[in-house]
Amino acid sequence: MMQEYSSEQEQIEAIKKWFRENGLAIFIGIAVGFGGLYGWQSWQSYVNKRAEEASSLYSQILVNLDNAQTASVPKATDELIENYSATPYASLAALAAAKVAAVDGNYEQAKERLQWVIDNAQQVQLVPLAKVRLARLFILEKNIDAAAALIEGVPYPASYSARVAELQGDLYSLRGETSLARSSYSTALSAALPAQNREMIQVKLDSLQPDNAEAAPAEETAESTGVTE
Amino acid sequence: MLLAIKDRITGIIAWFVVILISVPFILWGVQEYTGIGQDKFAIKVNDSKISLQEFDREITRNRQQLLQSFGGRMPTYFDAESFLRTQTVAMMVNRELYKQLIEDNRYRVPVQQVLSIITSDPVFQTNGQFDPDAYAAELRSRGLSKQGYETLLRDQLLASQIQESIRKSAYLTREEVAEYAQLRYQNRDFEYVRIASEKYKQHTTKVSEQDIKAYYEKNSDRYKTEEKIRVEYIELSLAGMLAKVAVDEAQLESTYNTALTDGRFKTDEARNASHILIKVPDGASDEVVAEKRKIIEALRERILKGESFSKVAKEASEDPGSASRGGSLDDVQRGAMVKPFEDALFAAKPNSVTEPVKTQFGFHLILVNNIIEPKVQPFAEVRVILDEEYRRSQAEPMFYDLLDSLANSAFENPNDLAIVAETVGTEVKSSDWFTADKGTGIAENQAVRSTAFSDEVLKDGNNSAPFELEPEHVMVLRVAEHEPSRAKTLDEAREQITQTLQAQQASKALQEVVTAIVSAAENGESLSKLAQVHGGVYKRVETNRDDTDTPREVIQKVFTMHLSKPVDKTFFANGDAAILKLNKVVNGDVQWQKTEEQQKLVKELIQLRGQYDLAAVMDDLKERAEISIHPDLQPQQ
């Protein structure tokens, strides 16, 4: 490139020659570039279209939940899971289907749906939600080990602490560890809770059997609230 | 080739090109060092920044909305600006979180759905049809582009889709409801005895001097006198100075006369009148006007022939306000009516109906029922007012002058109140002892106490700055004597200690009785009999948690009890005790979801759980995000 050209003519000749040698490569390069761009855009619009389809399907599930016409929910959920598992709607549908099954008393089905969310949800915030819902079902089934595996030693976001404390209390209560259950329920009640949620925990706390080990100190505290000035 | 370029492009142009090219290189990364361009965002959520300008636009919008909802004036009872700031920050953070959630997970809504919302919005319609021009105009007025608005709408739709999906997927199973209902709607059969503490307080024995001494020695650090002070002060009050002004009676009378010529102390003439209106529409043709004139003339004829004005008014007047009252307008003063009406009214003779009067409303007939003559208030009646005014006019300038010298003198002589008093021609007074929160005389005033206990006055021993006790009543004070908090002597503490010991005795006596009843009841003795023996009030109840006739303390206790340990006790806030015995527990109905009311309750419980789940998910989202907020926008302490 550093040589000098004596005339315009020579320069043009040199450029032509360079093009003959490299033209094809440049052309292919440009073609690949544009092709890639086009491909990327098509892919994007395809993915968006799929998400829109999934959204429409899922909207129908929400409407059916509202109208209590839940018979079609499992099928629609299966379709979303099968064909649209890359969209967030598959997980949301699974949560809805879990509800339908649980309300029907079909815990097996409900557990399966929640487990799917735990294993497949791309939106990470749905995982702890599915976990506490699943743990609740295990507790209703009195399946202590399975519930414990979801609750004990499992990290949860801070916003779940009251829920997890309640579930832990249920677990202790099932195991007959009354004093531990009592302290777990109290922990749950110390959080800011809506009144009704609080009551649901309070009645469980109230119904715990007294255990003799702590009956004595409890009386001590009662005494200290006696007549004072 | 580069050499050829180098050879041909020379001189100024070449340098220009070189400089042009080098500028970006020089400035590249310069902001990293100077700090320009940093901290320029209002809010940063993960990698996405919201600029200060954007924030300003948003807070301006919110401010306008807040202003509107308060009727154009910012309320002063709370810090509206800081409220706006925190609200706007929270709103924008939330919106950004949703936006990122939508993009990261590719939440989507069909474009048609967005478009159908836009086309069905009445704001964008003309005659019930979507109007693209109206749409464009409306968006311009909101300062939004079409694309911007459609994205905003889409994000709103998706945010509510996300919220609903969490809320509506919440549930309670039949079993959960049954378990809850069994406990929540339990009925319990129990009995209890309430023992009043009062009785034991009265029957306490004398406390021995020895006990008091022993208790005092053990707990002397609990009994302390309060820190107290006595102050010297000077007062300056306008009220005091008003009293000293000498008032000249002749002066007052001449003021009175001037006031009369200015129209003061005089009530205006008023006329008690009635009217009849026949309306003439705006822009009526001459024919219509003539027609209406005929109607009113006819009405006038009827009245002149002897029909009562009020009867005709009731029947024919088109003034809805007065027609039903026989046309009565009550007392009318000048300035209350339109000009032609007023002129006719004040020119009319009493008890004779006027000619038709034309006003902008139409034709009126007016009847003056009687004239309320203007009245002049005599000097004796207004003397008090004039006297007060005169005194104020004399005393006020003096008061404010003295206030100035008081402030200066108190500042220049921080250690001497007498000089200050002399400057303003008053004397130094002194107060009784008072504490930081209680005092008599001038120390009843909170301002006096807080000033006296301020560091400047108490610690540094200076004169206080002048402060207001009430409007136009000012004080300067300094500490005369100060007694810090110290341990009380036995004599000073005796009363309190005696009370404490007596309360302890009473408590112990009650405890003994309670323990005796509990163990007797545990051994099978009847609670009602025990109540008789020990003078308690006995009750047997079968009830649920919602019972309001039984004391809260008893309900709360009894629902935590178990048949395996059926006797227990509880105490009330006033010191009373209750001994409870649980007889029977009946669980709530397992088939609890039967009635409509119960189903409604369950529905509410499920909705609440949904809300609660949504809150957890959103908090989780927030916790995981990295959010930073410009220091100026953070709530201030």
Side-chain angles (χ1 to χ4, degrees):
Chain A
M1 293 298 274
M2 292 301 280
Q3 77 254 44
E4 306 261 340
Y5 299 102
S6 51
S7 71
E8 293 273 313
Q9 191 61 38
E10 261 179 67
Q11 263 183 9
I12 290 168
E13 278 305 319
I15 289 169
K16 274 182 179 167
K17 182 172 164 253
W18 185 81
F19 251 110
R20 268 197 301 280
E21 285 164 6
N22 301 305
L24 190 66
I26 289 175
F27 178 74
I28 291 172
I30 290 172
V32 166
F34 274 102
L37 203 64
Y38 176 77
W40 171 248
Q41 276 177 346
S42 314
W43 169 247
Q44 284 294 308
S45 85
Y46 170 76
V47 172
N48 280 338
K49 204 178 121 254
R50 297 285 291 168
E52 285 177 19
E53 284 167 16
S55 174
S56 298
L57 260 170
Y58 176 69
S59 302
Q60 200 50 49
I61 292 182
L62 271 185
V63 171
N64 287 336
L65 277 189
D66 264 351
N67 304 336
Q69 290 178 328
T70 51
S72 65
V73 172
K75 209 169 144 254
T77 303
D78 288 339
E79 196 189 336
L80 278 165
I81 287 180
E82 205 160 305
N83 298 325
Y84 298 94
S85 62
T87 71
Y89 296 103
S91 301
L92 296 184
L95 286 179
K99 169 183 185 160
V100 171
V103 169
D104 273 354
N106 186 350
Y107 289 1
E108 280 314 311
Q109 176 78 33
K111 276 154 40 188
E112 216 172 279
R113 296 292 196 191
L114 291 171
Q115 192 61 51
W116 192 89
V117 176
I118 296 170
D119 296 337
N120 296 288
Q122 279 154 6
Q123 188 184 331
V124 285
Q125 293 85 8
L126 297 181
V127 175
L129 182 67
K131 274 190 186 164
V132 292
R133 286 182 182 175
L134 183 57
R136 156 97 20 244
L137 290 179
F138 281 130
I139 287 194
L140 287 171
E141 291 183 330
K142 311 222 181 324
N143 186 343
I144 297 177
D145 294 339
L150 283 164
I151 293 300
E152 290 175 345
V154 180
Y156 274 93
S159 54
Y160 286 83
S161 55
R163 247 169 280 240
V164 172
E166 183 189 352
L167 287 165
Q168 181 71 69
D170 292 340
L171 258 179
Y172 283 136
S173 170
L174 282 177
R175 288 178 183 144
E177 294 173 303
T178 328
S179 58
L180 288 172
R182 194 166 281 133
S183 84
S184 288
Y185 286 144
S186 304
T187 308
L189 285 172
S190 65
L193 290 171
Q196 279 90 337
N197 294 39
R198 172 173 297 277
E199 205 170 51
M200 293 184 89
I201 302 171
Q202 185 70 50
V203 294
K204 286 194 275 193
L205 175 58
D206 287 352
S207 73
L208 287 174
Q209 289 287 338
D211 50 15
N212 293 324
E214 64 189 338
E219 268 182 89
E220 286 294 330
T221 51
E223 228 136 39
S224 64
T225 61
V227 185
T228 48
E229 48 178 325
Chain B
M1 205 157 118
L2 286 175
L3 272 179
I5 292 171
K6 188 190 145 212
D7 286 345
R8 288 187 196 174
I9 304 176
T10 50
I12 295 172
I13 297 174
W15 278 115
F16 180 70
V17 170
V18 167
I19 289 168
L20 210 64
I21 291 169
S22 48
V23 164
F25 285 97
I26 293 167
L27 292 183
W28 184 263
V30 85
Q31 73 268 28
E32 302 291 340
Y33 302 102
T34 58
I36 295 171
Q38 283 183 342
D39 289 332
K40 277 297 179 192
F41 61 87
I43 298 166
K44 190 172 162 204
V45 179
N46 295 325
D47 290 331
S48 167
K49 290 175 185 174
I50 296 171
S51 70
L52 281 167
Q53 289 90 320
E54 247 173 292
F55 181 83
D56 281 344
R57 268 201 298 279
E58 187 74 30
I59 202 170
T60 308
R61 250 198 300 270
N62 292 342
R63 190 179 294 117
Q64 276 161 0
Q65 264 177 21
L66 192 69
L67 260 175
Q68 240 164 38
S69 61
F70 279 103
R73 273 193 66 216
M74 268 307 175
T76 48
Y77 52 84
F78 70 100
D79 188 350
E81 268 310 313
S82 99
F83 168 79
L84 261 173
R85 205 166 41 235
T86 26
Q87 286 292 308
T88 308
V89 168
M91 222 170 79
M92 293 189 90
V93 166
N94 246 353
R95 199 189 298 157
E96 186 58 35
L97 281 170
Y98 269 113
K99 212 162 130 189
Q100 291 179 12
L101 187 64
I102 287 166
E103 274 324 306
D104 294 350
N105 294 280
R106 219 185 268 274
Y107 277 100
R108 288 289 178 269
V109 68
V111 182
Q112 299 92 299
Q113 208 177 325
V114 177
L115 292 182
S116 87
I117 287 179
I118 292 173
T119 49
S120 60
D121 189 339
V123 178
F124 306 136
Q125 287 178 345
T126 318
N127 302 325
Q129 286 287 320
F130 175 68
D131 180 354
D133 294 335
Y135 179 48
E138 177 66 26
L139 288 196
R140 253 200 313 282
S141 78
R142 292 189 206 172
L144 287 165
S145 71
K146 265 186 202 173
Q147 210 199 348
Y149 179 66
E150 278 153 31
T151 314
L152 202 76
L153 207 59
R154 189 199 73 157
D155 286 355
Q156 273 171 15
L157 273 176
L158 285 171
S160 76
Q161 190 188 46
I162 293 167
Q163 290 167 359
E164 277 189 16
S165 62
I166 305 296
R167 276 210 312 262
K168 288 186 181 166
S169 68
Y171 59 86
L172 279 171
T173 68
R174 225 175 280 276
E175 227 177 312
E176 268 179 285
V177 175
E179 267 181 22
Y180 170 62
Q182 280 183 40
L183 298 176
R184 174 65 183 78
Y185 297 99
Q186 249 176 12
N187 261 306
R188 294 195 164 203
D189 175 349
F190 63 96
E191 48 204 305
Y192 71 95
V193 181
R194 181 172 184 157
I195 312 262
S197 60
E198 203 48 45
K199 203 171 99 180
Y200 295 88
K201 280 183 194 157
Q202 286 161 8
H203 290 89
T204 48
T205 49
K206 267 263 186 256
V207 181
S208 77
E209 184 62 28
Q210 211 175 352
D211 287 347
I212 294 177
K213 233 181 211 159
Y215 191 85
Y216 173 74
E217 268 150 31
K218 238 193 212 163
N219 301 290
S220 61
D221 54 331
R222 275 207 229 160
Y223 297 99
K224 286 200 169 122
T225 63
E226 275 184 275
E227 178 179 26
K228 54 183 183 175
I229 53 182
R230 221 165 49 72
V231 295
E232 291 175 332
Y233 63 97
I234 53 179
E235 279 176 289
L236 195 61
S237 87
L238 181 60
M241 294 172 66
L242 286 177
K244 284 186 201 143
V245 174
V247 181
D248 179 1
E249 206 63 16
Q251 175 79 43
L252 285 191
E253 265 172 58
S254 93
T255 319
Y256 175 68
N257 289 330
T258 328
L260 280 190
T261 54
D262 290 346
R264 269 188 88 188
F265 305 128
K266 211 166 23 172
T267 57
D268 289 333
E269 177 187 331
R271 296 192 158 206
N272 186 300
S274 307
H275 85 138
I276 295 172
L277 170 69
I278 295 298
K279 281 188 188 164
V280 177
D282 275 346
S285 66
D286 291 350
E287 284 161 43
V288 175
V289 175
E291 199 182 304
K292 298 287 179 188
R293 181 180 286 278
K294 258 185 207 153
I295 298 174
I296 199 109
E297 292 283 6
L299 293 178
R300 183 161 185 270
E301 280 308 307
R302 282 169 61 188
I303 294 160
L304 289 178
K305 279 192 181 139
E307 275 188 65
S308 95
F309 188 92
S310 74
K311 195 182 138 225
V312 176
K314 245 180 222 167
E315 188 186 304
S317 176
E318 292 174 359
D319 175 16
S322 70
S324 60
R325 294 185 290 133
S328 169
L329 294 169
D330 292 332
D331 298 348
V332 182
Q333 286 180 340
R334 279 189 191 274
M337 298 291 172
V338 292
K339 190 82 173 64
F341 190 99
E342 183 178 295
D343 289 346
L345 173 66
F346 281 90
K349 268 188 251 156
N351 297 318
S352 83
V353 61
T354 60
E355 292 279 336
V357 180
K358 178 84 171 52
T359 70
Q360 69 209 62
F361 305 109
F363 288 109
H364 305 258
L365 295 177
I366 304 172
L367 179 72
V368 174
N369 302 315
N370 63 65
I371 296 173
I372 299 142
E373 295 290 348
K375 218 182 91 189
V376 174
Q377 287 176 279
F379 176 72
E381 223 170 83
V382 298
R383 199 195 156 280
V384 193
I385 302 173
L386 291 168
D387 179 79
E388 163 79 14
E389 281 176 3
Y390 179 74
R391 285 171 193 274
R392 267 191 175 274
S393 70
Q394 300 297 308
E396 248 172 24
M398 270 161 53
F399 174 71
Y400 286 106
D401 280 350
L402 276 177
L403 198 54
D404 265 355
S405 18
L406 176 69
N408 288 332
S409 174
F411 179 73
E412 283 160 12
N413 308 290
N415 298 316
D416 194 342
L417 204 56
I419 297 180
V420 183
E422 212 172 292
T423 322
V424 294
T426 178
E427 71 231 23
V428 177
K429 297 180 214 164
S430 50
S431 77
D432 281 337
W433 288 99
F434 59 89
T435 67
D437 25 60
K438 227 170 121 193
T440 54
I442 58 149
E444 270 176 47
N445 192 312
Q446 157 70 24
V448 172
R449 295 198 307 272
S450 62
T451 310
F453 277 91
S454 70
D455 282 352
E456 187 200 353
V457 174
L458 184 56
K459 262 203 197 142
D460 306 343
N462 289 338
N463 289 338
S464 75
F467 63 97
E468 267 194 347
L469 299 176
E470 57 198 7
E472 291 160 342
H473 186 178
V474 173
M475 177 178 279
V476 172
L477 57 75
R478 65 179 291 108
V479 171
E481 254 184 293
H482 173 219
E483 191 189 291
S485 170
R486 57 165 173 79
K488 279 187 180 175
T489 63
L490 177 58
D491 280 343
E492 283 167 328
R494 178 169 285 114
E495 173 87 21
Q496 256 176 303
I497 292 177
T498 309
Q499 275 172 12
T500 307
L501 289 177
Q502 278 176 343
Q504 278 180 1
Q505 265 187 18
S507 169
K508 209 171 149 214
L510 179 62
Q511 296 277 357
E512 272 163 17
V513 171
V514 169
T515 313
I517 297 177
V518 166
S519 69
E522 275 171 347
N523 289 328
E525 272 184 63
S526 108
L527 212 53
S528 63
K529 220 180 203 166
L530 287 166
Q532 273 177 8
V533 175
H534 295 281
V537 182
Y538 170 84
K539 271 203 181 107
R540 179 163 183 160
V541 205
E542 190 187 334
T543 189
N544 57 29
R545 286 176 195 265
D546 298 322
D547 182 10
T548 48
D549 296 333
T550 311
R552 220 42 276 170
E553 292 89 340
V554 171
I555 292 284
Q556 266 169 7
K557 183 72 197 180
V558 85
F559 274 89
T560 63
M561 286 167 62
H562 285 267
L563 287 168
S564 59
K565 184 180 179 290
V567 180
D568 210 337
K569 66 196 168 188
T570 188
F571 291 93
F572 295 83
N574 71 352
D576 288 5
I579 298 93
L580 307 94
K581 184 163 174 276
L582 179 62
N583 295 319
K584 209 168 103 191
V585 176
V586 182
N587 272 347
D589 192 354
V590 185
Q591 299 294 316
W592 186 73
Q593 286 189 61
K594 272 183 308 199
T595 70
E596 213 168 287
E597 197 187 338
Q598 289 167 348
Q599 282 168 0
K600 212 180 115 205
L601 242 156
V602 172
K603 225 180 190 167
E604 275 173 25
L605 281 175
I606 294 174
Q607 271 172 9
L608 265 160
R609 189 173 260 199
Q611 293 283 4
Y612 186 47
D613 284 350
L614 176 61
V617 171
M618 284 315 295
D619 286 350
D620 185 14
L621 181 67
K622 212 176 269 181
E623 270 169 48
R624 285 174 206 260
E626 202 177 298
I627 298 170
S628 41
I629 290 159
H630 195 285
D632 291 354
L633 303 179
Q634 272 158 5
Q636 284 144 7
Q637 260 82 55

